[in-house]
């Protein structure tokens, strides 16, 4: 069967898709918690204030089964109840701020050593996939890329447990985006 | 002062790209570089995509459950004290993969303008009335057959600033998950027979005629409810990863 075509997420997803705690895969103070944050830039180097990022990863033991509960609802009034603070769902969703910034709090994935990322934005007609690697070592995709390209997939340690990962949609330092078939 | 960008210019660009697609094959998805949609200019990669040697993580995906969605979330007409203005409709369909297998228990999210063509979003300054009884967001989980269903009102067309006199045909935004993260889809559903179709660079970014038709729902008299609502049907086929990827677990 032929697939349904993609269309841009547009500018007005903000009251529909992001949810409170969308970037907090683990609560503050969780043992082994790391923060990954950065900016999304366009081809002119301007930050993109209307991008939406989704993250998907294994838990610390490498389990990729995922768990429900990323966007729990309050059954009484239908409001967002948020995550339960215990379950690791493996899924995150963060809209960029007005200054193009985003932040994720999670744990290091076990197994395959990366966090999968899906990028949506106004102006982007078809989402893009990339990956956040926390180290530049021991991975077949990284090994297959020339150094400057490889560097776009590796988060830079800023201080203990805090990593910087910028996404450049176009031009100099353009992030490596993936063809997943 | 630059010349104002006219519909004539945009329509000419659209026609040229359709002609190219008719020769070369348009593909199922829009090209991320589609100049008639001006905002795509600085927001598409110049480098080709890279096929990774493995995709263990992307071949799996997030899961959602009954705690993530309340039954009322699928009825956009019942989220406030009063009834929203507009033409009450139901939109139903199935989510399947490219082999036609149903995607079960997965999350479908929708958002849309109200009947006047206005979003309750600060950045939407279209001088059409907000509706205090309509927010325009919904979600549900697909059933064992991959089926989803929403009750809502028909959204209005609205202007935007791509060029002078640019109007979006009425549409509902859809966000759909498959069993693999690599099957993720965000798209827009349109209503049959809308006269704005040929003018809209976002819909026309799908340059293959057959593919573009797959974005248009069908009026479904069978699912219209007497003296209550009009029915539309729209099935969704999730792309990729290819069967070989899935089997090889590449
Ligand atoms: Fe829209």
């Amino acid at each position: 069967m032929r697939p349904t075509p993609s269309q841009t997420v547009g500018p007005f997803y903000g009251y529909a898709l992001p949810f409170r705690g969308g970037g907090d895969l683990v609560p503050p103070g969780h043992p082994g918690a790391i923060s990954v944050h950065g900016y999304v830039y366009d081809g002119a180097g301007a930050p993109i204030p209307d991008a939406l990022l989704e993250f998907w990863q294994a838990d610390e033991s490498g389990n990729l089964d995922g768990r429900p509960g990323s966007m729990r609802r309050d059954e009484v009034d239908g409001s967002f109840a948020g995550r339960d603070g215990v379950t690791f769902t493996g899924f995150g969703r963060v809209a960029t701020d007005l200054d193009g910034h985003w932040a994720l709090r999670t744990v290091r994935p076990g197994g395959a050593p990366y966090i999968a990322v899906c990028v949506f934005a106004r102006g982007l007609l078809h989402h893009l996939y990339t990956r956040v690697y926390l180290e530049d070592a021991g991975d077949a995709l990284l090994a297959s890329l020339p150094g400057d390209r490889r560097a776009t997939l590796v988060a830079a340690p800023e201080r203990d447990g805090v990593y910087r990962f910028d996404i450049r949609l176009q031009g100099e330092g353009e992030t490596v985006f993936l063809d997943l078939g | 002062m630059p010349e104002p960008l006219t519909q004539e210019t945009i329509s000419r660009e659209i026609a040229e790209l359709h002609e190219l697609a008719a020769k070369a094959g348009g593909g199922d998805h829009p090209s991320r570089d589609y100049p008639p949609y001006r905002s795509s200019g600085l927001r598409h990669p110049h480098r080709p995509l890279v096929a990774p040697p493995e995709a263990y993580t992307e071949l799996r995906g997030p899961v959602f459950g009954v705690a993530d969605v309340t039954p009322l979330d699928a009825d956009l007409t019942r989220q406030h004290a009063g009834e929203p203005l507009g033409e009450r409709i139901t939109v139903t369909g199935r989510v399947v993969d490219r082999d036609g297998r149903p995607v079960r228990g997965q999350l479908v999210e929708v958002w849309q303008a109200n009947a006047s063509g206005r979003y309750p979003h600060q950045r939407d300054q279209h001088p059409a009335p907000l509706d205090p009884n309509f927010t325009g967001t919904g979600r549900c989980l697909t059933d064992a057959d991959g089926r989803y269903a929403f009750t809502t009102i028909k959204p209005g067309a609205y202007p935007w600033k791509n060029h002078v006199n640019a109007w979006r045909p009425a549409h509902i935004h859809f966000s759909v998950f498959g069993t693999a993260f690599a099957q993720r889809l965000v798209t827009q559903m349109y209503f049959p027979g809308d006269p704005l179709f040929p003018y809209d660079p976002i819909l026309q970014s799908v340059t293959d005629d057959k593919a573009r038709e797959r974005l248009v729902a069908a009026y479904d008299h069978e699912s219209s409810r007497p003296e209550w609502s009009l029915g539309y049907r729209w099935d969704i086929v999730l792309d990729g990863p290819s069967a070989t990827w899935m089997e090889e677990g590449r």
Side-chain angles (χ1 to χ4, degrees):
Chain A
M1 297 177 79
R2 303 310 303 175
T4 305
S6 168
Q7 295 266 271
T8 179
V9 74
F12 299 134
Y13 57 82
Y15 65 102
L17 298 184
F19 52 92
R20 200 175 60 235
D24 305 331
L25 274 70
V26 294
H30 184 85
I34 58 167
S35 287
V36 186
H37 76 112
Y39 291 82
V40 183
Y41 296 107
D42 72 11
I48 296 182
D50 43 16
L52 181 77
L53 304 182
E54 287 184 348
F55 302 92
W56 162 243
Q57 65 165 90
D59 69 12
E60 284 165 296
S61 69
N63 186 304
L64 272 168
D65 290 341
R67 299 280 299 277
S70 295
M71 45 178 83
R72 289 186 320 130
R73 312 282 288 182
D74 184 320
E75 65 163 335
V76 177
D77 63 7
S79 62
F80 271 106
R83 301 175 197 266
D84 64 12
V86 178
T87 305
F88 186 79
T89 70
F91 176 68
R93 179 187 274 170
V94 186
T96 51
D97 292 346
L98 284 173
D99 58 1
H101 184 254
W102 58 273
L104 183 76
R105 184 172 56 237
T106 185
V107 290
R108 291 170 167 275
Y114 54 86
I115 301 169
V117 185
C118 188
V119 183
F120 303 92
R122 180 180 66 81
L124 183 59
L125 284 159
H126 191 182
H127 59 262
L128 289 163
Y129 292 104
T130 186
R131 291 176 177 175
V132 178
Y133 287 87
L134 300 167
E135 274 96 20
D136 185 0
D139 180 80
L141 171 63
L142 292 182
S144 72
L145 296 167
D148 58 328
R149 296 286 280 155
R150 190 164 72 232
T152 71
L153 298 184
V154 182
E158 282 190 332
R159 56 179 192 274
D160 201 24
V162 179
Y163 294 82
R164 172 76 177 263
F165 187 83
D166 293 336
I167 296 172
R168 291 185 167 78
L169 291 188
Q170 186 186 83
E172 207 186 320
E174 185 176 297
T175 300
V176 169
F177 296 107
L178 303 178
D179 175 3
L180 296 176
Chain B
M1 281 279 289
E3 288 281 299
L5 185 57
T6 62
Q7 180 72 54
E8 198 188 348
T9 301
I10 294 294
S11 291
R12 193 171 52 239
E13 292 178 9
I14 288 172
E16 284 165 8
L17 290 164
H18 278 333
E19 222 168 282
L20 269 181
K23 286 188 201 121
D28 291 312
H29 295 287
S31 164
R32 295 182 180 90
D33 177 15
Y34 186 71
Y37 177 32
R38 288 296 191 259
S39 306
S40 73
L42 291 170
R43 295 185 172 197
H44 69 272
H46 286 157
R47 306 268 204 146
L49 304 186
V50 175
E54 56 73 26
Y56 298 120
T57 302
E58 293 92 345
L59 290 176
R60 306 293 298 280
V63 294
F64 302 91
V66 289
D68 293 307
V69 177
T70 74
L72 267 175
D73 292 340
D75 190 341
L76 286 70
T77 68
R78 290 174 65 194
Q79 297 172 353
H80 298 273
E83 288 271 336
L85 294 171
E87 195 178 304
R88 189 182 298 105
I89 62 171
T90 58
V91 181
T92 57
R94 289 179 73 217
V95 182
V96 300
D97 67 15
R98 291 200 53 172
D99 295 323
R101 293 175 300 203
V103 175
R104 300 190 170 99
Q106 257 305 9
L107 182 68
V108 179
E109 296 162 284
V110 294
W111 67 106
Q112 63 168 91
N114 69 24
S116 307
R118 179 85 187 263
Y119 288 91
H121 190 294
Q122 276 198 76
R123 217 184 294 171
D124 183 2
Q125 292 300 316
H126 174 35
L130 288 166
D131 184 340
N133 292 315
F134 192 71
T135 304
T137 68
R139 60 192 69 73
C140 73
L141 297 176
T142 55
D143 70 12
D145 203 25
R147 203 166 294 279
Y148 72 85
F150 292 103
T151 300
T152 182
I153 51 92
K154 192 173 175 190
Y158 61 86
W160 59 308
K161 296 195 183 324
N162 189 66
H163 54 280
V164 176
N165 211 16
W167 291 83
R168 295 298 329 280
H171 59 273
I172 299 177
H173 296 266
F174 271 73
S175 160
V176 187
F177 288 83
T179 52
F181 197 51
Q183 288 175 302
R184 194 78 179 83
L185 177 70
V186 165
T187 188
Q188 304 181 26
M189 184 208 91
Y190 299 86
F191 291 86
D194 193 320
L196 291 169
F197 286 165
Y199 303 99
D200 178 38
I202 291 183
L203 174 59
Q204 298 300 328
S205 70
V206 181
T207 50
D208 181 83
D209 295 347
K210 283 265 177 325
R212 202 164 56 249
E213 281 165 23
R214 295 199 291 275
L215 290 177
V216 183
Y219 171 67
D220 178 24
H221 199 67
E222 295 289 297
S223 69
S224 289
R225 289 169 57 195
E227 293 167 58
W228 183 250
S229 60
L230 292 173
Y232 289 89
R233 179 171 173 105
W234 190 55
D235 292 331
I236 298 168
V237 181
L238 298 182
D239 202 357
S242 67
T244 38
W245 265 68
M246 290 292 225
E247 277 152 27
E248 289 169 9
R250 197 165 79 149

